[in-house]
Amino acid sequence: MTEQPPPTAPRPAEYRIEDLAHLSGATVRTIRAYQDRGLLPRPERRGRANVYGDAHLARLRQIADLLDRGYTLASIKELLQAWDAGLDLGGVLGLVAEIDGPWTDEKASRISRADLDAAFGGTSDESAVAEAVELGVLERLPDRDDEFLVPSPQELAVAAELHSAGVPLLAISGHLREVRGQVEHIAARFLDFTTEHVFQPFLDHPPTEAEAAEAAALVRRLRPLAQQTIDAELARAMRTLATRYLRQHLNEALPADRRTASAMGPEPQGAVGAKAPKAERAAGVHQPWPAPGQIADPRTATGPATTAPEATTPGATAPGATAPEAVVLPAETVEAVRALVGAEHTAAFITAAARREVQARTLDALASGSPRRSPRSDPAEGPQRSQG
């Protein structure tokens, strides 16, 4: 009986660069670029031909997978070097998958062109649709002109509701651009904050599988915090500002003789009449005076000042006086004071200066009626006294 020779192992696969490109989906030019950047090992040289193997094909597929996950080529090079050094990439890839996961429970939907037009008044507007596609509110579907993908149905519903309330589509898209820029700034600040205080220990070296798993767990814990923080702060701001805005506009709708600063509710920081004892002491005022009316917005205030009678008439500051009226000041006056003392002290400074001027004129008026007149008792010199 003759002895059978042992079966020979199958020869490893060998590819020309064109074959490798076809199997991997990469172009010949891309394969050569990966070699130059150190992402792909050099092929075996046989005579005048370059021979690639299964290891090259597997590496190209790894690179393609990491690119799909959002990695840059520089990051991929570091990961592959860690892989070649014997580190397990499973934990790292799991961390990437966690970060790439959805940051909201909202599900994308589709909407037909007919339903879209109906939601916005029943009129087709190609420019508005193009604007929505550019903003990502709508996404076109391949080979479908009568249907769109809606990544955020809630966002589209908000736009439709605003439009039904009378807001023009152009104003809605402009508002979305502004809000998006501000929200992206907030998101960047939150990422900077969590990176500095939470994730920095995982970023100064290639993480082990255990560290990557720990970081992924932290991402899951912190993921809802940004949304919760924004929800709470937006609710607080809307509650505060909406009441103030409503009172302000209702007050402006009243006749001028019925407008009062008290109708505005709590005034914003820096409004005339706000308590500023340090500023008042610096201006020489040491006793309580009734708060004058609110100063109009310096950006719109024009023309000569309109002063409430109680702010200029001696003796009109007695306790129990009627509610003060609004006072309009020239914009250049407000800007000059702001440049002198700062925005936070502008209102208090104007209040204190007005009180001091009234006080000086009152003293001059009293002195002018006295039998013994001082050399500077002329009321016309009152303003000079107030500058001392």
Side-chain angles (χ1 to χ4, degrees):
M1 185 175 179
T2 60
E3 185 176 341
Q4 296 291 333
T8 58
R11 295 182 58 184
E14 296 179 351
Y15 311 104
R16 297 176 304 164
I17 190 170
E18 293 82 6
D19 300 328
L20 186 65
H22 175 73
L23 291 171
S24 66
T27 64
V28 171
R29 182 178 179 181
T30 298
I31 293 174
R32 287 174 176 158
Y34 287 168
Q35 291 175 181
D36 294 339
R37 298 183 68 133
L39 294 167
L40 190 67
R42 292 288 178 179
E44 181 183 350
R45 187 73 175 178
R46 292 184 187 172
R48 295 182 178 181
N50 290 326
V51 179
Y52 297 85
D54 286 333
H56 295 91
L57 180 59
R59 178 58 57 91
L60 286 172
R61 288 172 174 167
Q62 275 183 322
I63 295 173
D65 179 63
L66 292 172
L67 286 173
D68 289 341
R69 294 172 179 265
Y71 279 91
T72 64
L73 289 177
S75 300
I76 291 174
K77 183 177 180 179
E78 294 181 359
L79 287 172
L80 294 177
Q81 288 174 344
W83 177 278
D84 293 337
L87 296 179
D88 187 1
L89 296 186
V92 175
L93 297 180
L95 173 59
V96 174
E98 188 66 44
I99 295 174
D100 286 343
W103 288 75
T104 176
D105 295 332
E106 189 177 16
K107 303 296 183 183
S109 66
R110 295 190 179 195
I111 187 170
S112 68
R113 181 58 188 266
D115 289 341
L116 180 65
D117 293 341
F120 288 88
T123 303
S124 180
D125 190 334
E126 291 297 332
S127 62
V129 170
E131 182 83 357
V133 170
E134 182 182 351
L135 288 168
V137 178
L138 299 174
E139 293 183 8
R140 299 189 186 275
L141 295 171
D143 303 324
R144 295 296 299 270
D145 295 332
D146 60 343
E147 192 174 24
F148 296 91
L149 179 69
V150 184
S152 173
Q154 292 179 0
E155 192 169 51
L156 184 64
V158 169
E161 192 67 29
L162 289 173
H163 185 260
S164 68
V167 183
L169 291 175
L170 184 61
I172 294 174
S173 61
H175 179 69
L176 176 57
R177 290 182 187 275
E178 180 181 355
V179 169
R180 181 170 294 177
Q182 294 169 345
V183 170
E184 288 177 353
H185 173 74
I186 294 173
R189 290 292 300 117
F190 186 81
L191 290 174
D192 290 342
F193 174 79
T194 53
T195 297
E196 177 183 357
H197 297 286
V198 179
F199 294 107
Q200 192 59 48
F202 303 98
L203 302 177
D204 55 3
H205 64 281
T208 64
E209 184 175 4
E211 289 174 332
E214 181 182 355
L218 286 171
V219 171
R220 285 192 295 273
R221 287 173 50 194
L222 299 179
R223 187 191 300 273
L225 298 187
Q227 183 70 45
Q228 292 169 3
T229 301
I230 296 303
D231 286 347
E233 283 301 306
L234 181 61
R236 181 202 60 80
M238 291 299 296
R239 183 174 59 253
T240 302
L241 296 180
T243 302
R244 184 180 302 165
Y245 275 41
L246 179 61
R247 290 181 178 178
Q248 177 180 350
H249 288 294
L250 290 177
N251 189 52
E252 291 174 352
L254 294 174
D257 58 347
R258 296 182 58 190
R259 297 179 188 174
T260 62
S262 60
M264 296 289 294
E267 293 185 349
Q269 184 178 5
V272 172
K275 297 181 180 179
K278 292 184 179 178
E280 291 185 356
R281 287 197 297 270
V285 178
H286 305 285
Q287 62 186 36
W289 290 71
Q294 185 185 25
I295 295 178
D297 189 343
R299 294 172 295 184
T300 57
T302 57
T306 302
T307 310
E310 66 268 23
T312 57
T313 304
T317 57
T322 59
E325 297 181 5
V327 179
V328 179
L329 297 179
E332 59 270 18
T333 301
V334 179
E335 292 296 335
V337 174
R338 183 180 290 115
L340 178 65
V341 300
E344 66 274 17
H345 300 307
T346 297
F349 183 91
I350 294 175
T351 302
R355 292 172 179 172
R356 184 175 181 182
E357 180 66 21
V358 172
Q359 187 180 38
R361 287 176 180 260
T362 301
L363 292 175
D364 283 341
L366 293 173
S368 64
S370 173
R372 298 177 58 185
R373 296 183 58 184
S374 64
R376 299 185 62 182
S377 61
D378 190 345
E381 295 181 337
Q384 297 178 5
R385 182 187 306 274
S386 67
Q387 297 175 5

